[in-house]
Amino acid sequence: MPNIDLKELNQYSPYYVDAKITGSTLNNYEQFTNKVYNLPENIKTFFLNSLKIAEFIKDTMVKNNLTEESGKELARIIRDLLFADFYLGDVVNQIGQRVGVDDQKAKIIAGLIIIELFSPILEDLKKIHTQKFASATKEQEVKDEPSPQPPIQPPVEDESIIDLRSIL
């Protein structure tokens, strides 16, 4: 087995990436631990297996020529997805904005995260996101639906009214 540098990998762990910030105040630490504690068991176990996630991030960095800071941001994005801090359907936009990559690369990285990394927990993760963001997704569906058109009235037999439909 190759020599693993745990200190290096921990910087790409969703659990440890912001440890200095999280542990800086008791309030931050309590909020963080409450989020971890409230995760479903399988997602909590997945999240706490930070070495596997960090190795995935390191591999993704190499494959996509990402910087150290980009790798740390991927760790934060993965953590935020596990905590449902933003909607799973917005992962491509989040990666593009926060990692600073174009849409094509963001789609590739998002696909790797969802298909390779999240495969053991994907169904449960979808449930959490659907429950938390149900109202937001319903509002979006309503916005996407075309507004109803007023019913077309039959032509009136009044000579003072011109039926423009017959002209066009």
Side-chain angles (χ1 to χ4, degrees):
M1 185 168 181
N3 197 8
I4 298 173
D5 183 355
L6 291 177
K7 186 175 181 182
E8 177 190 4
L9 281 179
N10 276 341
Q11 68 182 335
Y12 305 121
S13 159
Y15 187 83
Y16 293 109
V17 68
D18 290 325
K20 289 180 183 174
I21 297 168
T22 304
S24 65
T25 68
L26 183 58
N27 189 36
N28 288 347
Y29 180 74
E30 286 176 353
Q31 287 177 344
F32 180 78
T33 54
N34 282 337
K35 283 184 173 185
V36 173
Y37 180 77
N38 289 322
L39 289 172
E41 278 306 311
N42 64 333
I43 295 177
K44 186 186 317 178
T45 301
F46 177 85
F47 178 70
L48 295 174
N49 187 1
S50 57
L51 183 60
K52 177 184 175 188
I53 300 170
E55 288 173 335
F56 169 85
I57 291 171
K58 185 75 173 163
D59 186 48
T60 302
M61 289 169 55
V62 170
K63 288 179 182 175
N64 292 282
N65 197 29
L66 299 176
T67 65
E68 182 178 307
E69 193 53 44
S70 295
K72 291 177 183 179
E73 199 56 45
L74 278 178
R76 291 180 187 103
I77 289 169
I78 290 168
R79 179 195 60 212
D80 293 349
L81 281 169
L82 294 172
F83 288 162
D85 286 343
F86 69 86
Y87 183 57
L88 185 61
D90 194 36
V91 68
V92 173
N93 291 331
Q94 290 287 327
I95 291 171
Q97 291 173 2
R98 293 168 59 177
V99 177
V101 294
D102 61 42
D103 284 346
Q104 184 65 26
K105 192 171 274 194
K107 286 177 186 176
I108 291 168
I109 295 169
L112 292 171
I113 291 170
I114 292 169
I115 293 167
E116 290 183 19
L117 185 64
F118 286 169
S119 64
I121 60 163
L122 188 56
E123 290 308 312
D124 290 327
L125 196 59
K126 285 179 182 178
K127 286 178 190 174
I128 292 170
H129 281 254
T130 302
Q131 289 169 354
K132 182 169 183 180
F133 297 102
S135 62
T137 55
K138 286 180 184 175
E139 287 175 17
Q140 185 62 35
E141 288 173 7
V142 169
K143 288 180 186 176
D144 292 343
E145 290 179 10
S147 58
Q149 298 294 326
I152 298 174
Q153 300 295 327
V156 179
E157 299 299 325
D158 184 357
E159 292 194 25
S160 64
I161 299 176
I162 299 173
D163 184 6
L164 296 176
R165 292 175 291 176
S166 64
I167 297 174
L168 302 174

